[in-house]
Amino acid sequence: MRVVIAEVPELARVGADAVERVLREKEHPVLGLATGGSPLPVYAELERRHREEGLSLAHASAFLLDEYVGLPADHPERYRHVIGRELVDRVDLDPERVHGPDGLAEDLEAACAAFEAQIQAAGGVDVQILGIGTDGHIAFNEPGSSFASRTRVMALTRQTREDNARFFGGDPQAVPARCLTQGLGTIMQARQLVLLATGEAKAAAVRELLEGAVSVAWPATILQHHPDVTVLLDEAAASGLRLAEHFRELERVSR
């Protein structure tokens, strides 16, 4: 596991490098896209490289991590719209090749199975961008989620709804109570994982991710068993790490 502790512009560069490498090396690259605040610097850097350096995403396809259940099709916080604003509309990634689970499906379980089949048909995800919740969730896999879980319907905890209330006018009750989310088993099948965390509020989850025992109490700890993970942290998110200087030394030596 590679751990980079740096200022946000450097984290954005490292994250965008991982995506660009796949875009340049693969004929049909498959990207995994997360929403939320953490990935925004990486998306902004990809937009800059597209605009200033000619980096193309036109040959890529992409899969979203999750989607709320029941939000109207035109709701601005549907993740299809969010990822459009954050990335797709700013680069040459074809919106028709960006796929997400259908939170408006009449049969939600069938929609989850169909989404899993789409990922498999595309050959799997080459590089998956991730964030982490304050309770250690990745995607919407709340504490207690099975490490073998696949895309499924999930109920959101009070903490997660409070954390996401900032996108809904500050009202946790306006945050949908359910979502469709890639499972931990689905995420672990991606060939490379890049997780970003910034801010002191993420420090406890980051400490468990990097130094804690693998436990369903902190779902992100399953990433310790993935062969290719890069964790990108600012100083605040890394503030609880006993091994922070160790990680810094490893990064200096590896350059």
Side-chain angles (χ1 to χ4, degrees), residues 18-54:
V19 176
E20 180 171 354
R21 191 175 307 113
V22 167
L23 290 170
R24 296 197 181 280
E25 291 178 354
K26 301 219 43 171
E27 183 178 2
H28 300 292
V30 180
L31 310 179
L33 302 177
T35 51
S38 297
L40 293 182
V42 172
Y43 297 156
E45 175 63 11
L46 289 171
E47 177 197 359
R48 186 197 66 78
R49 294 183 188 191
H50 169 71
R51 184 180 66 253
E52 298 179 6
E53 301 173 8

Side-chain angles (χ1 to χ4, degrees), residues 1-2 14-15 18-19 22 32 65 125-131 138 182-196 209 220-232:
M1 186 178 287
R2 179 187 180 191
V14 175
V19 176
V22 167
L65 277 175
V125 173
D126 292 305
V127 56
Q128 174 67 62
I129 305 298
L130 295 168
I138 52 175
Q182 286 190 35
L184 295 172
T186 309
I187 292 167
M188 288 289 286
Q189 286 192 323
R191 283 175 275 279
Q192 181 182 4
L193 305 176
V194 178
L195 184 146
L196 295 95
L209 165 63
T221 57
I222 188 58
L223 302 190
Q224 294 179 27
H225 289 309
H226 194 283
D228 191 350
V229 181
T230 299
V231 178
L232 306 176

Side-chain angles (χ1 to χ4, degrees), residues 17-176:
D17 282 350
V19 176
E20 180 171 354
R21 191 175 307 113
V22 167
L23 290 170
R24 296 197 181 280
E25 291 178 354
K26 301 219 43 171
E27 183 178 2
H28 300 292
V30 180
L31 310 179
L33 302 177
T35 51
S38 297
L40 293 182
V42 172
Y43 297 156
E45 175 63 11
L46 289 171
E47 177 197 359
R48 186 197 66 78
R49 294 183 188 191
H50 169 71
R51 184 180 66 253
E52 298 179 6
E53 301 173 8
L55 178 66
S56 178
L57 290 78
H59 60 308
S61 58
F63 290 88
L64 306 186
L65 277 175
D66 37 40
E67 182 59 271
Y68 290 116
V69 169
L71 279 186
D74 60 351
H75 196 289
E77 292 308 315
R78 275 177 60 87
Y79 283 147
R80 291 300 300 267
H81 298 315
V82 173
I83 204 64
R85 295 194 302 269
E86 292 177 350
L87 180 65
V88 177
D89 296 345
R90 302 180 179 186
V91 296
D92 59 348
L93 180 58
D94 183 353
E96 295 298 318
R97 300 175 70 173
V98 178
H99 310 287
D102 184 2
L104 291 174
E106 290 187 10
D107 187 335
L108 294 175
E109 291 186 3
C112 292
F115 185 63
E116 282 278 335
Q118 277 188 305
I119 296 174
Q120 295 303 314
V125 173
D126 292 305
V127 56
Q128 174 67 62
I129 305 298
L130 295 168
I132 186 171
T134 57
D135 61 359
H137 72 254
I138 52 175
F140 275 131
N141 292 283
E142 300 282 19
S145 295
S146 166
F147 290 151
S149 57
R150 314 302 297 191
T151 301
R152 67 204 190 285
V153 183
M154 278 290 296
L156 300 181
T157 65
R158 177 183 57 81
Q159 182 64 58
T160 296
R161 295 178 78 191
E162 289 179 354
D163 288 347
N164 285 1
R166 66 189 188 278
F167 302 116
F168 291 83
D171 180 9
Q173 296 303 312
V175 181

